[in-house]
Amino acid sequence: MIPCAKNLRKSAYLPINYDAIYEESRQTFLHAIKPESKKPLTPIKILIVEDTEICQKIALLTFNQPTYVTDLATSGKEALEKYSQGYDVILLDLGLPDMSGIDVCKHIRKKIGDTRTPIIAYSTISDTLHEECLAAGFSETLMKPTEKKVLYQFIKELVEKAS
């Protein structure tokens, strides 16, 4: 006759002290588990400043996933108005219709006084513009187009460094 499961502990089929081994392994197991991060996963809030319609669509599609919340501005003036909503990072095109991306960045850095929010010059950038962008207060520059994985990792690192 095979013992039923509830009587298994007291069964002659187990020559060892089951209760002692269970308690020992349970304690080891429970203490070995540690959460990876105590921080709740919150999406990265991005302001995309782009005036070209096709580039707007590409940017919005690129960040169309739960790890990102995107907002779009099509001019420098609109970017400065939306800036007050608070963003984790700003992707800023340099050639805007009403003012340059460099002027927008300077306004945020000097007039508003925000030196913490990462601002990325996301445009077709030459070596001379790269230096000018960094001098104006941009956190970094990226050339369009950028591979998604590279862009995601780049933004994640900048946001982590800023927080």
Side-chain angles (χ1 to χ4, degrees), residues 45-52 55-56 59 63 71-83 87-110 112 114 117-125 129-130 132-134 136-144 146 151 154-155 158:
K45 194 172 178 186
I46 302 173
L47 175 60
I48 300 168
V49 185
E50 177 61 60
D51 62 322
T52 310
C55 292
Q56 292 170 1
F63 295 106
D71 201 358
L72 181 67
T74 58
S75 68
K77 182 181 177 190
E78 186 180 359
L80 292 173
E81 289 170 2
K82 288 188 174 191
Y83 167 80
Y87 295 92
D88 297 314
V89 67
I90 300 171
L91 279 178
L92 183 55
D93 185 26
L94 296 179
L96 299 171
D98 57 345
M99 58 196 300
S100 76
I102 291 174
D103 291 336
V104 173
C105 182
K106 283 180 180 178
H107 186 87
I108 290 171
R109 295 292 190 222
K110 293 180 181 156
I112 296 174
D114 179 359
T117 303
I119 303 175
I120 302 169
Y122 194 54
S123 197
T124 51
I125 299 166
L129 275 179
H130 174 77
E132 186 180 346
C133 288
L134 294 180
F138 281 92
S139 305
E140 197 52 71
T141 60
L142 277 177
M143 284 207 47
K144 288 181 192 176
T146 304
L151 186 59
F154 191 77
I155 288 174
L158 278 175

Side-chain angles (χ1 to χ4, degrees), residues 48-66:
I48 300 168
V49 185
E50 177 61 60
D51 62 322
T52 310
E53 190 175 339
I54 189 72
C55 292
Q56 292 170 1
K57 288 179 182 179
I58 292 169
L60 290 173
L61 285 172
T62 300
F63 295 106
N64 185 18
Q65 39 183 301

Side-chain angles (χ1 to χ4, degrees), residues 13-39:
Y13 292 101
L14 292 174
I16 55 175
N17 184 344
Y18 175 80
D19 290 330
I21 291 175
Y22 173 75
E23 283 302 315
E24 193 176 300
S25 66
R26 185 174 142 242
Q27 288 175 357
T28 303
F29 177 73
L30 291 176
H31 292 294
I33 296 177
K34 293 181 181 168
E36 286 183 29
S37 173
K38 293 183 181 182
K39 275 184 165 180

